[in-house]
Amino acid sequence: MNHRVGAPLGDVARSLNALGACLVAPAELNRALGTTPEVWNTFGRHWDDLRPDHYAAELGTRRLRRYGHFCFRTADGVLERLPHGVFVQPEQSNHLYVDRDRLFEPLTESFAADQVLHAVMGLLGGVAQALDDPPRWHVKVTPFRVVAGADVHGDPTPEGLHRDGVTLVSSLMINRRNATGGESSVFDTAGNPVLTATLTEPGTLLVGDDRRTLHRVTPIHPDDPGLPAHRDVLVVTFAS
């Protein structure tokens, strides 16, 4: 198994081309974005205003989320927010929702306009260019909070091992509270492990070439069973 931890951003493209996935340490991400560790605490307040995912609830998982859709122009890096609509994944990606359009609450105006979000999307747009060079990218933004408790199942990926049907997939750790588990694993299409890591520190970024890999995250459980646990991440994908 090849663990790629704390790779400098200059090596991300090479790691994606060689392995299909790369893990970026918080210090390196903060350096690239010009942020500080405290920024993630402020940015993380948006996660307190997410809404229940009723589709995940059908599977017994308590998950909260919102959804936003942007266009990223490669020529000048301009990001444009697109009208809100249903969330659709290609048929060969998430087997749980084949032929089912899902409607989620949109990002709040303050979330959609947050400069930290735009900085993250801009950085990922540069990473995506290492994989393909379309004139524009469709960027889907999904903040997730998965909740676990004594009687609440906290499964970040109830669909199991899967791909998102995009070019670049990323997961950014925002916060964990009273949580154990939540190990992220990336595999190649033959099922061979590429990277495994538990995202614990805010600002840890996992990126993958979704065309060449599959991924999953193990369930979370409360460290203190008398209190709820949650795991907050920001998932951003780029598709041409």
Side-chain angles (χ1 to χ4, degrees):
M1 185 178 299
N2 204 329
H3 294 269
R4 185 72 172 176
V5 180
L9 286 181
D11 291 342
V12 171
R14 288 188 288 274
S15 294
L16 287 175
N17 285 314
L19 304 175
C22 183
L23 190 67
V24 181
E28 189 62 37
L29 185 65
N30 285 328
R31 191 174 304 118
L33 296 177
T35 52
T36 63
E38 292 73 26
V39 163
W40 303 112
N41 291 329
T42 302
F43 185 54
R45 294 172 187 166
H46 293 299
W47 272 252
D48 293 331
D49 196 21
L50 302 185
R51 293 293 179 263
D53 180 344
H54 302 293
Y55 307 96
E58 295 172 355
L59 303 169
T61 292
R62 187 179 176 199
R63 186 164 67 181
L64 300 99
R65 66 191 289 173
R66 286 183 181 269
Y67 165 61
H69 189 185
F70 294 79
C71 173
F72 180 86
R73 294 200 315 239
T74 57
D76 51 18
V78 169
L79 278 158
E80 175 189 359
R81 190 181 184 186
L82 300 178
H84 190 64
V86 295
F87 183 84
V88 181
Q89 289 181 291
E91 183 177 340
Q92 299 305 316
S93 56
N94 191 330
H95 67 91
L96 291 180
Y97 302 110
V98 174
D99 297 327
R100 187 175 187 185
D101 296 342
R102 290 177 286 167
L103 184 62
F104 302 109
E105 291 293 319
L107 298 178
T108 62
E109 293 302 317
S110 62
F111 201 156
D114 196 301
Q115 290 306 302
V116 175
L117 173 63
H118 283 253
V120 170
M121 289 193 290
L123 181 143
L124 290 172
V127 174
Q129 292 303 104
L131 301 180
D132 200 359
D133 190 26
R136 65 189 63 218
W137 292 97
H138 284 277
V139 185
K140 294 184 177 181
V141 175
T142 306
F144 284 102
R145 169 172 287 178
V146 174
V147 180
D151 57 350
V152 179
H153 188 50
D155 193 348
T157 53
E159 61 271 65
L161 190 62
H162 69 288
R163 58 162 50 96
D164 285 14
V166 297
T167 301
L168 179 76
V169 60
S170 71
S171 183
L172 175 62
M173 170 53 59
I174 302 299
N175 188 28
R176 289 169 60 103
R177 181 170 298 172
N178 190 41
T180 59
E183 181 183 75
S184 300
S185 296
V186 181
F187 299 81
D188 66 21
T189 54
N192 300 307
V194 172
L195 185 154
T196 297
T198 300
L199 311 185
T200 57
E201 186 178 349
T204 307
L205 175 67
L206 175 62
V207 292
D209 183 344
D210 194 59
R211 303 165 305 178
R212 299 169 49 204
T213 59
L214 300 99
H215 57 274
R216 70 183 180 205
V217 184
T218 62
I220 65 167
H221 307 279
D223 188 35
D224 180 345
L227 297 172
H230 72 244
R231 177 181 184 268
D232 295 350
V233 299
L234 176 67
V235 172
V236 181
T237 65
F238 279 67
S240 57

